Amino acid sequence: MVSENKLPLAVVFLFLMLGVIWWPSFSNLGDLFGYAAKAEYKGVSLLNFFRAELVVLVTVWAVLISYKEQNDMVDGNAYVTRFLILVMFVIGQVFMGFFAGGFLVHQDASWYQVIHEANEVMPSQAVILLVCYPLYLFFGGSAFIYAKTRLPKFLKGKEFSFMVLTFAPLAFLPYYDSSFMQAKKDLFEIAYLSVYWLLSVGWVVIGVLYIILKASQGIFKGLSDPYGEM
């Protein structure tokens, strides 16, 4: 989809677009970790939950990275299994994206724009940053590492799709009133919404559907010859 020579430029462009979304959010962000240390659910603070996520994330990534292929050739059944595991990671990312982008981002936006104070942390914002962000990296990053170590031929030429799958959902943040910014409101509004929808559509088409479609082709290939070498 994106050649290796153009991949660094594409990744930089992706993060520049994310910067447009992050700028109003993080420039007005309060004491996130202080808020997380006090916010508790059944005796477990949000900060401790975040730390536990990081431990799980690092552990799973270490296990995936440490894998070494014993044989370059696998049969069709193993080939199908690998693609199914890859699809499971992608589906996990889809669930998180729709949960955060379709539910959490709308929970406190109207409240915040009415009674907001400078450097205040929205509850849904804290959950997205400290719970959903690590899970995006877990599912998206794990999908990439899994493909790189178990399905290297499949990954070739699809690196950018995996980058979009992993990082585009980071744009799913509560919308901030653009009057916070020292810029013309209408201009920033257009830029913000354009980038937001471009990332959203790109995530669905390039990051999710494209990978699942290509993985499905691999699954059908394995099913057509379950005992043959892939």
Side-chain angles (χ1 to χ4, degrees), residues 119-130:
N119 299 322
E120 189 172 354
V121 177
M122 286 188 280
S124 63
Q125 183 185 39
V127 173
I128 290 174
L129 294 177
L130 297 180

Side-chain angles (χ1 to χ4, degrees), residues 120-159:
E120 189 172 354
V121 177
M122 286 188 280
S124 63
Q125 183 185 39
V127 173
I128 290 174
L129 294 177
L130 297 180
V131 177
C132 297
Y133 265 38
L135 288 175
Y136 289 146
L137 297 178
F138 174 82
F139 288 112
S142 296
F144 174 78
I145 296 171
Y146 188 86
K148 187 173 181 64
T149 55
R150 275 78 166 179
L151 298 163
K153 293 181 180 179
F154 171 79
L155 178 63
K156 189 174 182 180
K158 303 179 184 67
E159 292 87 352

Side-chain angles (χ1 to χ4, degrees), residues 31-41 43-55 126-127 130-131 134:
D31 184 5
L32 177 64
F33 292 103
Y35 175 90
K38 298 176 182 178
E40 293 186 354
Y41 179 73
V44 180
S45 71
L46 185 59
L47 184 59
N48 286 336
F49 190 85
F50 171 70
R51 290 168 176 166
E53 280 186 303
L54 294 183
V55 172
V127 173
L130 297 180
V131 177

Side-chain angles (χ1 to χ4, degrees), residues 6 9 57 77 92 98-99 126 130 143 205 208 210 213:
K6 296 181 180 179
L9 182 61
L57 175 66
N77 286 327
F98 279 101
F99 174 70
L130 297 180
V205 176
V208 176
Y210 180 74
L213 176 62

Side-chain angles (χ1 to χ4, degrees), residues 3-148:
S3 65
E4 292 185 4
N5 294 334
K6 296 181 180 179
L7 182 60
L9 182 61
V11 172
V12 169
F13 185 67
L14 172 63
F15 277 92
L16 285 176
M17 289 194 293
L18 284 171
V20 174
I21 305 297
W22 287 339
W23 181 31
S25 296
F26 289 106
S27 62
N28 292 278
L29 186 63
D31 184 5
L32 177 64
F33 292 103
Y35 175 90
K38 298 176 182 178
E40 293 186 354
Y41 179 73
K42 293 187 176 181
V44 180
S45 71
L46 185 59
L47 184 59
N48 286 336
F49 190 85
F50 171 70
R51 290 168 176 166
E53 280 186 303
L54 294 183
V55 172
V56 173
L57 175 66
V58 172
T59 302
V60 171
W61 280 8
V63 171
L64 292 176
I65 292 172
S66 64
Y67 173 84
K68 292 184 178 180
E69 185 70 77
Q70 300 297 324
N71 188 351
D72 291 337
M73 303 301 293
V74 296
D75 61 25
N77 286 327
Y79 198 63
V80 170
T81 300
R82 293 184 180 189
F83 274 111
L84 288 175
I85 293 174
L86 175 64
V87 170
M88 287 176 60
F89 280 124
V90 176
I91 291 175
Q93 186 78 329
V94 170
F95 174 79
M96 287 308 307
F98 279 101
F99 174 70
F103 176 71
L104 286 178
V105 296
H106 302 294
Q107 292 304 296
D108 302 320
S110 58
W111 163 80
Y112 188 83
Q113 292 181 7
V114 173
I115 62 173
H116 73 270
E117 297 178 2
N119 299 322
E120 189 172 354
V121 177
M122 286 188 280
S124 63
Q125 183 185 39
V127 173
I128 290 174
L129 294 177
L130 297 180
V131 177
C132 297
Y133 265 38
L135 288 175
Y136 289 146
L137 297 178
F138 174 82
F139 288 112
S142 296
F144 174 78
I145 296 171
Y146 188 86
K148 187 173 181 64

